[in-house]
Structures are given as structure tokens and as C-alpha cells.
Amino acid sequence: MDYGSAGGGSGGGGGGDHDSSDPQRRKKRYHRHTAHQIQKLESMFKEFPHPDEKQRLQLSRELGLAPRQIKFWFQNRRTQMKAQHERADNSSLRAENDKIRCENIAIREALKNVICPSCGAPPVTEDSYFDEQKLRIENAQLKEELDRVSSIAAKYIGRPISQLPPVQPVHISSLDLSMGNFGGQGLGGPALDLDLDLDLDLDLIPTNSNLAFQPPGISDMDKSLMTAVAANAMEELLRLLQANEPLWMKSSTDGRDVLNLDSYQRIFPRAMNHLKNPNVRIESSRDSGVVIMNGVALVDMFMDSNKWVESFPTIVSVAKTIEVISSGMLGNHSGSLQLMYEELQVLSPLVPTREFCILRYCQQIEQGLWAIVSVSYDIPQFASQFQCHRLPSGCLIQDMPNGYSKVIWVEHVEIEDKAPTHQLYRDLIHSGMAFGAERWLATLQRMCERVACQLVSGSSTRDLGGVIPSPEGKRSMMKLGQRMVSSFCSSTSTSTSNSHRWSTLSGLNDVGVRITLHKNTDPGQPNGVVLSAATTFSLPVSPQNVFNFFKDEKTRPQWDVLSSGNAVQEVAHIANGSHPGNCISVLRAYNTSQNNMLILQESCIDSSGSLVVYCPVDLPAINIAMSGEDPSYIPLLPSGFTISPDGYPDQGDGASTSSNTQGRMARSSGSLITVAFQILVSSLPSARLNLESVNTVNSLIGTTIQQIKAALSCPGS
């Protein structure tokens, strides 16, 4: 309220100029200005906030107010204006302060979840000074203990411990590769030039290195955002699964579905500025087929990270559920949303794995129809380490009346090639076939057939020697074979989770032999130091013919160096699927002094490739599995071969007559073969790799490749 001071007295114009120090004065009478007076004063204030005496006298005459009232009104108005400005400034500063405080709290919360990308440990806290002092105290105590022990030891050995020479590492003799196999002769492989640092520190290469991917703190707002991202991804995936032209086009070379990127960008517009990077590629593919498993079981397989790895051992090297955002409906996973980490592989040390942090969302569209979508979700502290980004990908699962399911699969990925793809795999990978929908679906069909065969008793087993007495024995042998294949895939992978650091031996070919050393502590593997060695080479022979060569027991002496040319006999045969190449075999070698050793072998083939994995197992261990007992603790150290098409289409007539079972295996004119061996160097966990063991495994691989090329009539390849 605007007011002016009027002294005591009855003068209407403000004749009250009483001295304010008058002790008789008890009250002040306030004069409320009229609207006309206030309007005139405000108008004057806008132009002259500090009027001089002449202006105040003129106003007093015009408004009928005393000059002193005019003076006080302007003083009060200036004070009021100053207070308003201060309040506005305070409000702005308070809002800025609140914003900074919120950012500070958010940063403090984020720091609680930060880990070191190298060691996985939390960051150094503000108490680092006290931690350093604590370490200094502990070092002093340890030094005192060392001096005390040294003085005691000096009484017995004549000198303190500090003057003793350093302990030399235990010398491990070269591995006798014939031991535990077939009593073969020495190897006569080519002399190879070694280029390797043999002083590998095993303490830095643990066998079961847990992935340093700790779940971040996920707030309710993050979960809401994840739910929205998953819902949008599901909507996009359903359109990709059901649309045809112009979104999907048929490839002119092999008839595969290929995504039309221009149509995709028009239908699903998004920021694509990063595609201007010449190192960024798009891989997209779609395939469909029938799977021998009902929809509910398939959904359960896809939404369980452990079952996901077990079902796709040749593709998925690691899968972890970071956090369950929503558990969905009980019984069918509809509405289930999970934040997951997965690492995908091609079984060759030449191909790096692909890492993803994804949201996996399941939705039941209608009775008997499910959709499962996977889409990348960037977590700030880990996004920079991933070179791949999964756009909405996944599958549509339709129940069929016979208990089977029809599956349509879509893969859509962006890849940033920070390093060039190896020339052997460039065509296979850049075509999108190495990680494409056809490979996923073919593997799913084969693994579902394997599960179905495991549930069937009797008819799928050809027991030639009477050694598998029961259905339980067959299932136990199948579990043993599955574990052997998973172990082989893990040993061949370049996964970052198993801490394998591959070193290259030069001299064999342009690729070289890659070796790595690790310690085994799992109950299902021999304890000690294991040397893994692998290399990849190409042959101008179709993948199907190469697989038949490795699978046939009659041709085994032509490539199995360790058999020393001795023939083998199949003792037992367990079918794993409709294709005769999918099976488990128990082999016995003729004319060997070690009759207590058998060979467990599993072969797998589908339209994307094949593998043959084998491992020597002693007779008592095989008897445990064949009798139906738990085979989890039988030690296995498998070796074997993986066979992939080379990515070049066959120019002959065979491509046009290929069946769905063979797929691109039949469409390819050449093969990429990865040969991998695992050798127990020493049962001592502290042993180090020595040159003799390296020469042995190098010679083993070199001789094996020479014999394969000679047997397949392509020695110059």
C-alpha cells in the first residue's frame, strides 16, 4: 500500500509538520492517496525516480499534497522497487542453487556405482590418505615379521632369507602327447619360427574371470524409460517381422531377405548421423522355420540367460541378467522385461566377439503367439566399450497343433569396425551371415532336435557294444557331450570374459597359430595349467565334404596325428537330430597298448556350419556316464574343428539345388576351418609355459593341417 506521512493537526493539505521528537506525539495519522494521485505519482516515478525539489513542489501543487508527502512517497517507492528486485534475484539464485544441489546429489549417487574398467574395483575414495597410512603401517609390520623370520632362518641355514638367491621356476618337461591317448610316435611337423613372449603371468589369466560388468543403480525413472524403449522396439519388431516389400527385398544372389535401408529410414525415422562414419555398417537379415519345441518352452529358454547360453553355445559366449525390470505374468513371461549383457562369437581366434547391453522384452500377442524383442540400451559407464548397437531384433513364435512352433527371426545390428576384419572372414561377416538370422534359427532348430532326442528313449541309440544299458545312461552321455562342446567353444572364443590373451606364433601360414595359457579350477576340467592353440585356414572344398571327411571314422587316421595311423571303431552311437551328422560317438582305437582309453566325440551340423569335437576319456569315467550317473565331474579337455562357409557363393549348379537342411553350407564353394587343441601342460598351478611345449603344440597343428590338405587333395591351399 502506498502511503504518505501527515502530521497531527487538521490541515487537509498535510499541514501537520510536527517535530517527530515531540514526546506528546503518540499516533501517526496515515493518508490514503486517491487513484488519481497514485497514477500521477507512478507516471512521474517512471520518468524521474529521484525528483528534485522543484519537481516535488510542482507535484504537491497539482495533487494537493505536502512536499514532504511527495518526498516520502518517492522514498518508499524506491525502497519497494529495490525489494522487488532483490526478491527476484533471490528467487533466481535459489533455483540455481537447487539445480546445483540436485546435480551434486546425482553425481554422488553415480560415483557410488562407478568401477574401474581395468580392474573392476571401486574408485579411490576421499579416505585415500588414511588407506595409504594403513598400508604403510602394514608394510612396516610385514618388514618386522620378515626380519624376525630371517633371523630365525639364519640359525639353520647360515644366512638370512634376504641373501638367498631367487627361487627358480619349476621346469616342466614337454608334454608327451601320446600319453593318455594312443601311444603314438613323436611328431614330425615343420620347423616354425616362433615369435612369442613365453613369460606369461598366470596370475593375470584366471580361468573363471567374472565379467567386470556390475549392475548399475537403476532408478524408477530409468525403469520407466526402459519400459518405453522396449515398447517402441516391440512395435518396430512386429512390423519388421510381418512386412514384405518394399521394407524387405529378396537378394539376387542367394534369395535371402535383405532390409531396404531407405524404406526403413522412411518408416522408422531416427537420427542416423553416425552412419556418416565410414567404419559403421548395418547388418540385417530375416529367416523363418519350424522348431521342434512348443512356444512356452521357447519363451522360457529365451528369457533365462543361463538357458540362453546352453542353447546357443556356438554363438553366445556370455549372457548375464543384470536386472529384472518387470517379471511379467506368472507362467508365460508375458510383459517380462530384463536388462541383459551378452557377448556373441564366431568360433575362431581371428574374429573378435560382439558385446551388447540389451533390453529383452517378451509379450504374448494372443493365445499361442509370442514376440520377443532385444534392443540395445546404453548405460553411460559402459557404452563407450561397445562397438555394436542392436536395433530392434528378435523373433515371433507361433504355436502349431503338433507341439512344434513356427519361428520368424530378425537380426538388425549396427557395427563400428574400429579394426579391419580379417581377410579370411571378411566376406562371411560383411554379408551379415556370420551373425545373421539364418545362423540363429538353424542353431535353434538343431538344439531343439537335440532336446527332443534326449527325451526319447531307446530308438535313437545304436549301442554296438552293449555299453549303454538304460535311457538314463543315454541322457548322461548327452549331457557329457554337451559340456564337452561348450568347453571347446569357450576355449576357441576371443571372449573378454574368460581372460584368454591370444599370442601368435609365426611361420605356419599368413594367420599363424594363436595360443593362450590359463589355469583350470573347474571340477569338470583337469586341474592345472592348460595350453590352448588354434588357427584358421581355408580350403577350396565345400563345407559339407569337409564335415563328412572329419566325421567318417574310416578317414580319421588320415588327419588324427595322435592316432599314429591306427584305425578306430565306433562302440556306441547316439543320434542328436534328424541329420545323421548330429550325433555322439564313442570310439575305440585298434592296435594300441592303452585299451583303457576311449574317444568321446560329438558332431554337429546345420545350415550355418558344423563342428566336430572330441576328447580322450578313460574307461572308468565313460562307465560312470553310461550307467546314468552324474557326469559333471568327469574331466574333459576337448579338441576339434569348426567348419564355416567362406562366404563365396558356389557358381556351379549345386547352389540352386540346395535343401533347407544344408542352406548356405551347400551354397558355398569353399570352407573356413578352425583347428583347436587343448593340452594340459602341468598339474601345478604355478607352472609357466616353456618353449618345448610350444614347439610340441605348434608341430601338432602344423602336421594336422598338412595331412588334412593332403587327404583332400589341396596341398597348395
Side-chain angles (χ1 to χ4, degrees):
M1 178 180 68
D2 298 309
Y3 57 87
S5 176
S10 58
D17 286 342
H18 287 199
D19 191 351
S20 60
S21 63
D22 185 357
Q24 299 299 323
R25 183 180 180 186
R26 294 291 181 266
K27 295 182 180 179
K28 285 184 179 180
R29 290 191 301 114
Y30 295 93
H31 173 77
R32 184 182 297 274
H33 302 313
T34 65
H36 172 70
Q37 291 172 335
I38 293 175
Q39 183 179 5
K40 186 66 176 178
L41 289 168
E42 288 286 357
S43 169
M44 186 67 178
F45 181 80
K46 290 180 180 180
E47 296 183 9
F48 305 102
H50 296 273
D52 55 20
E53 185 175 359
K54 182 179 179 181
Q55 291 171 322
R56 289 198 300 271
L57 287 173
Q58 183 180 354
L59 275 175
S60 68
R61 288 193 296 267
E62 292 178 0
L63 301 178
L65 297 175
R68 190 176 182 186
Q69 286 179 298
I70 299 296
K71 179 180 179 180
F72 285 163
W73 188 91
F74 274 90
Q75 287 179 350
N76 293 337
R77 190 67 182 87
R78 288 193 297 270
T79 302
Q80 184 185 42
M81 182 64 69
K82 181 179 179 182
Q84 289 176 352
H85 289 164
E86 289 178 348
R87 281 196 298 270
D89 292 342
N90 288 342
S91 178
S92 176
L93 290 173
R94 189 179 299 109
E96 184 69 19
N97 186 43
D98 291 341
K99 179 182 177 181
I100 294 174
R101 184 182 294 108
C102 291
E103 291 178 354
N104 184 269
I105 293 173
I107 292 173
R108 287 179 179 272
E109 290 297 323
L111 285 175
K112 293 179 181 179
N113 300 313
V114 170
I115 60 172
C116 173
S118 300
C119 65
V124 178
T125 63
E126 56 190 11
D127 296 326
S128 59
Y129 171 79
F130 299 100
D131 293 339
E132 182 180 354
Q133 295 303 313
K134 182 179 179 181
L135 289 175
R136 291 181 183 277
I137 294 173
E138 290 178 354
N139 287 343
Q141 293 174 345
L142 290 173
K143 185 176 180 181
E144 292 178 0
E145 181 70 13
L146 176 61
D147 292 339
R148 185 180 65 83
V149 174
S150 178
S151 61
I152 295 174
K155 298 179 181 179
Y156 298 94
I157 60 178
R159 49 182 172 170
I161 291 178
S162 58
Q163 297 179 4
L164 293 177
V167 179
Q168 298 297 324
V170 178
H171 176 70
I172 307 300
S173 60
S174 63
L175 180 69
D176 182 4
L177 292 175
S178 64
M179 183 179 64
N181 288 278
F182 310 104
Q185 304 297 321
L187 300 174
L192 301 179
D193 179 24
L194 300 182
D195 180 16
L196 178 71
D197 179 12
L198 299 178
D199 189 21
L200 296 179
D201 187 358
L202 289 176
D203 293 334
L204 299 178
I205 317 177
T207 301
N208 296 320
S209 164
N210 290 326
L211 185 68
F213 195 92
Q214 303 299 326
I218 299 178
S219 64
D220 291 338
M221 186 168 59
D222 291 329
K223 292 182 179 180
S224 299
L225 179 59
M226 291 177 183
T227 303
V229 170
N232 291 335
M234 177 63 74
E235 181 180 353
E236 178 175 325
L237 175 68
L238 290 175
R239 295 187 66 178
L240 289 174
L241 288 166
Q242 299 169 351
N244 290 311
E245 294 185 2
L247 193 57
W248 291 96
M249 308 293 291
K250 290 291 184 182
S251 171
S252 59
T253 56
D254 53 17
R256 295 186 300 123
D257 284 342
V258 178
L259 191 64
N260 186 330
L261 294 181
D262 292 335
S263 298
Y264 174 82
Q265 179 64 12
R266 285 195 302 268
I267 299 173
F268 306 104
R270 56 162 57 92
M272 305 289 278
N273 295 332
H274 56 287
L275 289 181
K276 297 178 181 178
N277 185 342
N279 295 325
V280 173
R281 296 184 295 105
I282 296 289
E283 293 181 5
S284 59
S285 56
R286 184 176 67 171
D287 199 12
S288 62
V290 176
V291 174
I292 308 179
M293 185 174 287
N294 63 65
V296 173
L298 285 174
V299 169
D300 184 61
M301 174 196 301
F302 284 27
M303 300 306 293
D304 186 318
S305 58
N306 293 326
K307 293 180 181 179
W308 181 248
V309 176
E310 292 175 0
S311 302
F312 298 93
T314 57
I315 304 177
V316 183
S317 60
V318 180
K320 294 179 181 291
T321 299
I322 301 173
E323 186 155 334
V324 177
I325 309 302
S326 173
S327 56
M329 296 178 61
L330 184 64
N332 65 359
H333 293 284
S334 182
S336 176
L337 176 61
Q338 300 179 12
L339 181 64
M340 300 177 64
Y341 168 83
E342 68 176 1
E343 193 174 4
L344 309 183
Q345 64 185 353
V346 169
L347 294 179
S348 172
L350 304 182
V351 182
T353 57
R354 294 182 175 181
E355 296 180 87
F356 299 93
C357 180
I358 61 171
L359 291 170
R360 178 160 293 172
Y361 177 50
C362 173
Q363 183 178 348
Q364 185 172 9
I365 309 301
E366 59 185 44
Q367 185 66 32
L369 182 65
W370 290 266
I372 298 176
V373 65
S374 297
V375 61
S376 283
Y377 187 83
D378 293 334
I379 297 178
Q381 57 264 48
F382 300 105
S384 61
Q385 72 187 49
F386 297 152
Q387 300 178 16
C388 304
H389 184 84
R390 185 182 291 279
L391 298 171
S393 307
C395 60
L396 189 69
I397 303 171
Q398 173 71 63
D399 267 338
M400 299 175 66
N402 57 359
Y404 293 9
S405 300
K406 180 181 179 181
V407 178
I408 307 175
W409 199 298
V410 166
E411 281 294 310
H412 194 191
V413 184
E414 292 177 355
I415 307 98
E416 181 181 3
D417 291 325
K418 294 186 177 179
T421 306
H422 195 280
Q423 60 180 0
L424 285 180
Y425 281 93
R426 184 177 297 122
D427 293 284
L428 184 66
I429 291 177
H430 285 201
S431 67
M433 295 189 296
F435 294 94
E438 182 179 354
R439 185 184 178 206
W440 282 100
L441 187 57
T443 304
L444 178 64
Q445 291 173 319
R446 176 172 56 80
M447 294 304 294
C448 288
E449 285 189 359
R450 194 183 199 282
V451 172
C453 291
Q454 194 169 357
L455 299 177
V456 176
S457 59
S459 60
S460 62
T461 303
R462 186 167 77 249
D463 185 3
L464 305 180
V467 290
I468 304 180
S470 65
E472 291 77 14
K474 186 192 85 168
R475 285 191 286 270
S476 179
M477 288 292 294
M478 294 183 73
K479 290 180 181 178
L480 187 63
Q482 183 176 10
R483 183 162 63 84
M484 177 178 67
V485 171
S486 297
S487 175
F488 173 79
C489 293
S490 177
S491 69
T492 313
S493 171
T494 57
S495 171
T496 59
S497 63
N498 56 23
S499 297
H500 288 181
R501 295 184 302 181
W502 293 92
S503 301
T504 303
L505 309 180
S506 62
L508 179 63
N509 51 28
D510 293 338
V511 176
V513 176
R514 310 291 176 94
I515 70 169
T516 184
L517 202 65
H518 60 279
K519 287 188 291 189
N520 268 346
T521 56
D522 289 346
Q525 294 181 321
N527 289 331
V529 178
V530 173
L531 173 64
S532 298
T535 190
T536 300
F537 62 100
S538 62
L539 286 180
V541 182
S542 70
Q544 182 68 55
N545 290 339
V546 174
F547 174 78
N548 294 338
F549 171 71
F550 288 131
K551 174 70 176 60
D552 191 352
E553 60 190 80
K554 296 178 182 178
T555 58
R556 187 183 189 94
Q558 299 180 36
W559 59 262
D560 190 353
V561 178
L562 303 181
S563 68
S564 301
N566 294 321
V568 296
Q569 176 192 16
E570 187 178 50
V571 178
H573 178 99
I574 302 173
N576 273 343
S578 58
H579 193 289
N582 290 324
C583 63
I584 296 174
S585 300
V586 178
L587 306 175
R588 180 175 57 199
Y590 286 120
N591 302 324
T592 63
S593 59
Q594 299 191 19
N595 294 323
N596 64 330
M597 295 302 300
L598 299 173
I599 303 173
L600 177 66
Q601 176 175 289
E602 177 158 354
S603 56
C604 312
I605 183 171
D606 56 47
S607 63
S608 65
S610 59
L611 55 85
V612 177
V613 182
Y614 60 93
C615 177
V617 183
D618 59 29
L619 186 58
I622 285 287
N623 287 334
I624 290 176
M626 289 182 174
S627 63
E629 298 184 33
D630 183 11
S632 302
Y633 296 97
I634 296 177
L636 298 174
L637 208 57
S639 301
F641 306 91
T642 69
I643 305 134
S644 302
D646 59 7
Y648 293 101
D650 190 356
Q651 302 301 322
D653 297 334
S656 60
T657 60
S658 62
S659 65
N660 290 333
T661 304
Q662 294 177 341
R664 73 167 182 268
M665 285 274 287
R667 297 197 298 263
S668 180
S669 60
S671 303
L672 299 176
I673 304 170
T674 296
V675 51
F677 291 98
Q678 290 190 90
I679 295 173
L680 182 66
V681 175
S682 173
S683 58
L684 298 176
S686 59
R688 289 180 178 273
L689 186 63
N690 59 75
L691 184 60
E692 200 169 0
S693 297
V694 174
N695 275 324
T696 301
V697 71
N698 212 352
S699 179
L700 171 64
I701 288 184
T703 304
T704 300
I705 293 177
Q706 283 186 348
Q707 294 190 0
I708 292 171
K709 290 181 177 181
L712 294 175
S713 302
C714 43
S717 300

